[in-house]
Amino acid sequence: MMLTFTYVVQGFIERCAMMVGARPHHARSLAEVLVEADSRGHYSHGLNRMDMYVKDIQAGICAVNGEPVVDKENAATALVNGNNLLGPVVANFCMNLAIRKAREAGIGWVVAHGSNHFGIAGYYAMKALKENMIGMSFTNTSPLVVPTRGKERTLGTNPLSVAAPGKDGDSFVLDTATSAVALGKVELNERRGDKIPDGWGCDPQGHLTTDPKRVLSGGGLVPVGGSEATGGYKGYGLGMMVEVFCGILAGAHYSKYIRTWKVTDRVADLGQCFVAINPENFASGFNERMSDLLSIQRHQNPADPHSPVLAAGDPERVNIKKCEEMGGIPYHINIIKYINDYAKQIGVDKQLPCDKLVSV
Amino acid sequence: MMLTFTYVVQGFIERCAMMVGARPHHARSLAEVLVEADSRGHYSHGLNRMDMYVKDIQAGICAVNGEPVVDKENAATALVNGNNLLGPVVANFCMNLAIRKAREAGIGWVVAHGSNHFGIAGYYAMKALKENMIGMSFTNTSPLVVPTRGKERTLGTNPLSVAAPGKDGDSFVLDTATSAVALGKVELNERRGDKIPDGWGCDPQGHLTTDPKRVLSGGGLVPVGGSEATGGYKGYGLGMMVEVFCGILAGAHYSKYIRTWKVTDRVADLGQCFVAINPENFASGFNERMSDLLSIQRHQNPADPHSPVLAAGDPERVNIKKCEEMGGIPYHINIIKYINDYAKQIGVDKQLPCDKLVSV
């Protein structure tokens, strides 16, 4: 792995986005969420995907001018028009608004239409932690998931994130798709020639399969829970819930009307939802109880003494600490090569350097 | 099956609750949610469980006097003290309050401490449908679920419900535990001598098992998603999310501190959360989009032509229609016998009659 200083990656992404016309503060928003994804260990949502955002700007499918605007609001709610700007720009605007509302009204529930991919959902939910609030974020996504009993991809992986603050900077950070896995995991197994576990995806006939090729060629991901017998209909319902909060509530595109992955011939018009809840409006002692709940889980006897029970957000915490100790983010050489090739294509001279070789 | 007129079951439950001291309008709240569960086909949460509520009152573990009170509130939020009253009494109070707040503020987020079992979560979420609003309800429950990698039951089945109105009375009604299945399903398989699917429960060492006996004797349910490889950690995170909204936010009992199932030596002090969201505060055309989203799922080609794709709430809708056509609720004779024996014990003279024999 090649270590690259965090601020260097950040600057590189900003340069690439600005090269195709993004305003500096919009480019910064994009760079911040991608770097955060990588330092949390979610490489599928970081630098690796930068070209997707940049291509959308280049194609004129994602806007660079203007700012998101509030269509409608009251003390606790708002409907925002993302004006087809970069997803992180829209999402930051909405989450900041939700937090401001929660300060006054105890809760802020903000939904956006006219948005684009925003990176990791957890990034926005976690903004609330700094204010000692609960944060949530939801987004609809391109159709990849086949509902229970179906054989068409009519739902996205529709992720949701919930972050809640404990004591002394500790926190609960759930950041999860409502599909059993991300498409990237199926692709990885296919490349390696490995089968996938039963309950990740289905073939074009809608039957669960362990063959990643069949999932990728006409099949689809299945909702968390897998088959109907093991509770897949619950994951399907949760994916629908996310769509209700996003496309349906916001009046954005939804379900099969969302453009498929990597298509750049029309706008995404994603729907997204951002919530902040101020625990001060409820029972006192929230942080203490939250930390205790985390402790109960982490300190119980694990099934395997070498694999302690974790709380949502713990694996990412380990990754962040590792990056901090190393002073940067370790990337696979192929990611660096890929993204440098791309940068060159769009005319960015200063390539992303590899500051150090590391084994992780 | 023995058919019993709905109003007869309702009256019977009211008489039983009042016999041990419940006030008439509290008894009515209990009867309504239990009858609704049965007519939706969720017999595990209906008449079958009436004795549990009545025993709590008899034991003095659940209060009969007073009403829930608001501890703290503003335009969009409230913290409610359930005063240890029957769960349905507390839940109705909170959901009505959430709806009133959503009418003014666009959203109402109400949490309660000092509550008791409230029956099916969907009953309260659905109250919002009558106001053309989105409704949600959450409750923590007695510890039955073992977190991913663990071997102790440190979470309840922690159900959540989300109801959203479509056009012409159609709706989406998700009402689901965050465990893969309810304990009752495991018990049923054990009684029949059947194995359970991989991904329902674990043995006392925390390993997934297909033997229902091992789940019931020292093991536990597992979160939706099953094993870690198939996404069980997502269900575990969702169960934690429900606990954050309930016990942690409300300052009620939580996690392993909640009394175990059927213990009546101490109060439950459950935490619950009720939300109403007014779509009028967001993009217009909510009902049309909602109905279209339901249509997209229902009308897609199913994997098996004999099993159409359903939306959350559809199976219950079929059951309700069946009951309406029959003019009552079909119960297994053993449930009628059991509950009549119980009624006799507490001194209720008028037994529950079986109005007609039906095959369903």
Side-chain angles (χ1 to χ4, degrees):
Chain A
M1 303 286 272
M2 312 295 283
L3 191 79
T4 309
F5 297 136
T6 309
Y7 75 90
V8 173
V9 188
Q10 167 90 26
F12 173 77
I13 298 173
E14 288 180 33
R15 283 198 306 281
C16 291
M18 286 190 291
M19 178 58 77
V20 294
R23 296 160 130 196
H25 65 294
H26 290 179
R28 196 180 321 125
S29 290
L30 175 64
E32 279 168 358
V33 67
L34 298 187
V35 165
E36 178 76 13
D38 285 337
S39 68
R40 294 177 77 76
H42 296 301
Y43 290 111
S44 57
H45 283 68
L47 177 65
N48 185 45
R49 216 178 247 183
M50 180 197 77
D51 55 322
M52 200 188 74
Y53 299 87
V54 173
K55 277 175 190 161
D56 269 2
I57 295 177
Q58 257 192 320
I61 292 307
C62 175
V64 290
N65 292 315
E67 300 294 337
V69 294
V70 175
D71 280 342
K72 206 190 243 188
E73 72 179 317
N74 72 11
T77 66
L79 174 66
V80 168
N81 182 348
N83 278 328
N84 194 29
L85 292 156
L86 280 167
V89 172
V90 180
N92 280 328
F93 178 90
C94 291
M95 194 67 211
N96 290 338
L97 185 58
I99 289 169
R100 277 204 306 281
K101 288 180 180 297
R103 237 179 253 139
E104 297 300 317
I107 184 167
W109 188 289
V110 176
V111 303
H113 61 98
S115 192
N116 284 284
H117 283 281
F118 67 22
I120 51 168
Y123 180 80
Y124 310 101
M126 284 188 294
K127 285 173 91 95
L129 297 180
K130 290 173 204 134
E131 312 288 326
N132 203 35
M133 291 183 187
I134 299 171
M136 293 198 270
S137 66
F138 309 82
T139 185
N140 62 14
T141 60
S142 302
L144 280 174
V145 173
V146 176
T148 309
R149 295 191 182 183
K151 57 182 181 183
E152 296 173 27
R153 301 172 174 203
T154 51
L155 280 175
T157 55
N158 294 5
L160 65 89
S161 176
V162 180
K167 278 191 306 185
D168 308 322
D170 198 6
S171 59
F172 166 79
V173 181
L174 178 67
D175 184 0
T176 177
T178 51
S179 55
V181 286
L183 192 70
K185 283 204 185 177
V186 178
E187 289 171 341
L188 216 61
N189 279 52
E190 196 235 353
R191 237 168 277 157
R192 286 198 205 114
D194 289 344
K195 293 200 162 193
I196 54 170
D198 207 47
W200 280 19
C202 67
D203 65 21
Q205 284 72 46
H207 303 124
L208 286 191
T209 180
T210 57
D211 180 357
K213 280 192 179 51
R214 295 183 60 73
V215 174
L216 297 170
S217 49
L221 300 174
V222 298
V224 64
S227 71
E228 186 168 349
T230 54
Y233 58 95
K234 299 185 174 202
Y236 161 39
L238 292 165
M240 287 283 279
M241 173 191 80
V242 172
E243 188 61 281
V244 171
F245 294 163
C246 294
I248 308 304
L249 204 50
H253 280 167
Y254 55 91
S255 182
K256 66 177 185 183
Y257 308 124
I258 300 174
R259 68 182 197 190
T260 51
W261 191 236
K262 289 170 187 168
V263 164
T264 51
D265 64 348
R266 54 204 167 102
V267 300
D269 189 14
L270 298 186
Q272 292 161 349
C273 177
F274 305 88
V275 182
I277 300 168
N278 191 349
E280 283 185 20
N281 287 65
F282 302 95
S284 61
F286 181 88
N287 300 112
E288 288 70 24
R289 285 189 298 278
M290 190 65 233
S291 279
D292 185 44
L293 177 64
L294 293 169
S295 277
I296 290 169
Q297 310 306 344
R298 290 172 181 153
H299 298 139
Q300 73 172 267
N301 279 323
D304 169 358
H306 304 295
S307 289
V309 178
L310 303 175
D314 286 354
E316 290 83 359
R317 201 168 276 120
V318 170
N319 244 289
I320 290 168
K321 196 157 172 267
K322 211 165 61 183
C323 290
E324 281 171 357
E325 283 166 6
M326 292 189 295
I329 300 169
Y331 288 105
H332 192 281
I333 181 73
N334 289 350
I335 292 187
I336 301 279
K337 276 186 184 156
Y338 173 78
I339 213 71
N340 271 334
D341 278 353
Y342 180 72
K344 212 171 153 186
Q345 278 174 42
I346 59 168
V348 171
D349 290 333
K350 212 178 148 200
Q351 300 279 295
L352 187 63
C354 300
D355 296 296
K356 206 163 70 176
L357 256 171
V358 287
S359 64
V360 285
Chain B
M1 303 286 273
M2 312 296 284
L3 190 78
T4 308
F5 298 136
T6 309
Y7 75 89
V8 173
V9 188
Q10 166 91 25
F12 173 78
I13 298 172
E14 288 181 33
R15 285 198 304 281
C16 290
M18 286 191 290
M19 179 58 77
V20 295
R23 296 161 132 197
H25 65 293
H26 290 178
R28 196 180 322 125
S29 289
L30 176 64
E32 280 168 357
V33 67
L34 298 187
V35 166
E36 177 77 14
D38 285 338
S39 68
R40 295 177 75 76
H42 296 303
Y43 289 111
S44 57
H45 283 67
L47 178 65
N48 183 46
R49 215 178 247 183
M50 181 198 77
D51 56 321
M52 199 189 76
Y53 299 88
V54 174
K55 276 174 189 161
D56 269 1
I57 295 177
Q58 257 190 320
I61 291 307
C62 174
V64 290
N65 292 315
E67 299 295 336
V69 294
V70 175
D71 280 343
K72 206 190 242 186
E73 71 179 317
N74 71 11
T77 67
L79 174 66
V80 169
N81 182 347
N83 278 328
N84 195 29
L85 291 156
L86 279 166
V89 172
V90 180
N92 281 329
F93 178 90
C94 292
M95 195 66 211
N96 291 338
L97 185 58
I99 289 169
R100 277 205 304 281
K101 288 180 181 296
R103 236 179 254 139
E104 298 299 317
I107 184 166
W109 188 288
V110 177
V111 304
H113 60 97
S115 192
N116 284 284
H117 283 282
F118 67 21
I120 50 167
Y123 181 79
Y124 309 102
M126 283 188 294
K127 285 173 92 95
L129 297 179
K130 289 172 204 134
E131 312 288 326
N132 203 36
M133 291 183 188
I134 299 171
M136 293 198 269
S137 66
F138 308 82
T139 184
N140 61 16
T141 60
S142 302
L144 280 174
V145 173
V146 176
T148 309
R149 296 192 182 183
K151 58 181 182 184
E152 296 173 27
R153 301 171 174 204
T154 50
L155 281 174
T157 54
N158 293 5
L160 64 89
S161 177
V162 180
K167 279 191 305 185
D168 308 323
D170 197 7
S171 59
F172 166 79
V173 182
L174 177 67
D175 185 0
T176 178
T178 50
S179 56
V181 286
L183 192 69
K185 284 203 185 177
V186 178
E187 289 171 342
L188 216 60
N189 280 51
E190 195 235 356
R191 237 168 276 157
R192 288 197 204 113
D194 289 343
K195 293 199 163 194
I196 54 171
D198 207 48
W200 280 18
C202 67
D203 66 19
Q205 284 72 49
H207 303 124
L208 285 192
T209 179
T210 57
D211 180 357
K213 280 193 178 50
R214 295 182 62 71
V215 173
L216 297 170
S217 50
L221 300 174
V222 298
V224 61
S227 71
E228 186 168 349
T230 55
Y233 58 95
K234 299 185 174 202
Y236 161 39
L238 291 164
M240 287 282 279
M241 173 191 80
V242 172
E243 187 61 282
V244 170
F245 294 163
C246 293
I248 307 304
L249 204 50
H253 280 168
Y254 56 90
S255 181
K256 66 176 185 184
Y257 308 125
I258 300 174
R259 68 184 196 188
T260 51
W261 191 237
K262 288 170 187 169
V263 164
T264 52
D265 65 347
R266 54 204 167 98
V267 300
D269 188 13
L270 297 186
Q272 291 161 350
C273 177
F274 305 88
V275 182
I277 300 167
N278 192 349
E280 283 185 19
N281 288 65
F282 302 95
S284 61
F286 181 88
N287 300 112
E288 288 69 24
R289 285 190 298 277
M290 190 66 232
S291 278
D292 184 43
L293 177 64
L294 293 169
S295 276
I296 290 170
Q297 311 306 343
R298 289 171 182 154
H299 297 140
Q300 74 171 265
N301 278 323
D304 170 357
H306 303 295
S307 288
V309 178
L310 303 175
D314 287 352
E316 291 82 0
R317 201 168 277 121
V318 172
N319 244 288
I320 290 168
K321 197 157 172 267
K322 211 165 62 181
C323 289
E324 280 171 357
E325 283 166 5
M326 292 189 297
I329 300 168
Y331 288 104
H332 193 280
I333 182 74
N334 289 350
I335 291 187
I336 301 280
K337 276 186 184 156
Y338 173 78
I339 213 70
N340 271 334
D341 279 354
Y342 179 73
K344 211 170 154 186
Q345 277 174 43
I346 59 168
V348 171
D349 289 333
K350 211 178 149 197
Q351 300 278 295
L352 187 62
C354 301
D355 296 296
K356 205 164 69 177
L357 255 171
V358 287
S359 64
V360 284

